[in-house]
Amino acid sequence: MSGRFDGKIAWVSGASSGIGRGAAERLAAEGATVVLLGRDEARLAEAAATCGPTAVTGAFDVASEADVEAHVPGLLAEHGAPDIVVHAAGITVVGALDALTPTEWHHQMDVNLTSLYLLNRHLWPAMVPRGGSIVTLGSTASFAAFPQDAAYVASKGAILALTKAMALDGGPHGIRVNAVCPGFILTPNLQGYFDAQDDPAGAAAGAGAAAPLGRMGSPEDIAGAIAFLASDDASFVTGTSLLVDGGLLAKVPA
């Protein structure tokens, strides 16, 4: 790799698996010191082991105000302010709006959306003196809805709007904020969505065939896009979204 993140510190939430882990590995491979955040301490340690000897972990729930308040200030003091932040923590709570309990609704919003607020209450002020890049994780669901997926779609639409608002606030401080919007990416989260369908195998096959490129994406596909937006190659890019969906939204459904 080019080493374009040499000397940079990257914080990645949702880093124990899927897109978050892929992003952490890519940024580390290009020279960043990575701070991996996630709830599962054992899986987080496994991910950190693939990110080199400088990688560190913070095992706590980024959707919990108490956990964030208890852990993030200490991590900042010990490991330093971020040059790059990747908000990859996310879940999918399946169901039409009327079928969701209040607990399910709030859980979806807390993990996918409120976690950005909670982390940025600490990370943003640390970035203001130095600038940097923040990458959020939207979705094709930020632009087009899926049936029986109301809370997830709402959370991803909100992430896109929040990304634009943060970009406006960050501009004067040299903080760029952009969203990567994946299509069907084969991760444990997507597999959970398939498993909740009446025909999981058929749902997975349909997802693979839906994009013009004829396959589902991988975490590595998304990691490349995240690395671009985090890098100086995107120094004049902020407040925008990058679809990485194999062309899924480029075609009218048959």
Side-chain angles (χ1 to χ4, degrees):
M1 292 292 183
S2 64
R4 58 182 167 171
F5 300 122
D6 287 349
K8 303 290 188 181
I9 299 172
W11 289 52
V12 183
S13 72
S16 61
S17 67
I19 290 172
R21 177 169 177 168
E25 291 174 345
R26 177 62 179 264
L27 295 172
E30 295 200 45
T33 295
V34 183
V35 180
L36 298 94
L37 309 179
R39 290 179 300 171
D40 190 317
E41 190 167 4
R43 288 199 302 163
L44 209 57
E46 291 176 4
T50 68
C51 293
T54 63
V56 296
T57 63
F60 62 94
D61 184 356
V62 296
S64 162
E65 181 179 359
D67 275 16
V68 170
E69 295 295 325
H71 290 88
V72 172
L75 286 168
L76 276 171
E78 185 174 357
H79 302 294
D83 301 287
I84 300 162
V85 178
V86 180
H87 291 285
I91 60 169
T92 302
V93 176
V94 177
L97 189 63
D98 62 292
L100 298 173
T101 67
T103 297
E104 290 171 329
W105 171 267
H106 288 298
H107 184 45
Q108 177 74 87
M109 292 299 173
D110 286 347
V111 176
N112 285 18
L113 185 62
T114 304
S115 63
L116 276 71
Y117 161 71
L118 294 175
L119 288 172
N120 278 285
R121 290 185 66 234
H122 298 280
L123 301 184
W124 186 278
M127 295 178 74
V128 164
R130 59 199 287 144
S133 175
I134 296 173
V135 182
T136 65
L137 261 295
S139 167
T140 49
S142 300
F143 303 93
F146 297 104
Q148 302 294 315
D149 213 12
Y152 178 81
V153 170
S155 73
K156 291 302 184 179
I159 284 172
L160 210 57
L162 180 60
T163 297
K164 296 175 184 178
M166 291 172 66
L168 297 183
D169 293 335
H173 306 293
I175 301 173
R176 298 183 299 103
V177 189
N178 294 287
V180 171
C181 296
F184 291 115
I185 309 299
L186 193 53
T187 64
N189 189 43
L190 182 60
Q191 187 60 54
Y193 174 77
F194 292 152
D195 290 344
Q197 306 307 307
D198 293 335
D199 179 9
L213 291 184
R215 65 175 177 89
M216 284 189 278
S218 70
E220 291 76 20
D221 291 320
I222 307 306
I226 289 171
F228 163 68
L229 290 173
S231 76
D232 289 341
D233 293 329
S235 62
F236 200 54
V237 181
T238 195
T240 194
S241 56
L242 177 58
L243 272 169
V244 188
D245 67 349
L248 182 67
L249 292 189
K251 70 172 186 176
V252 176

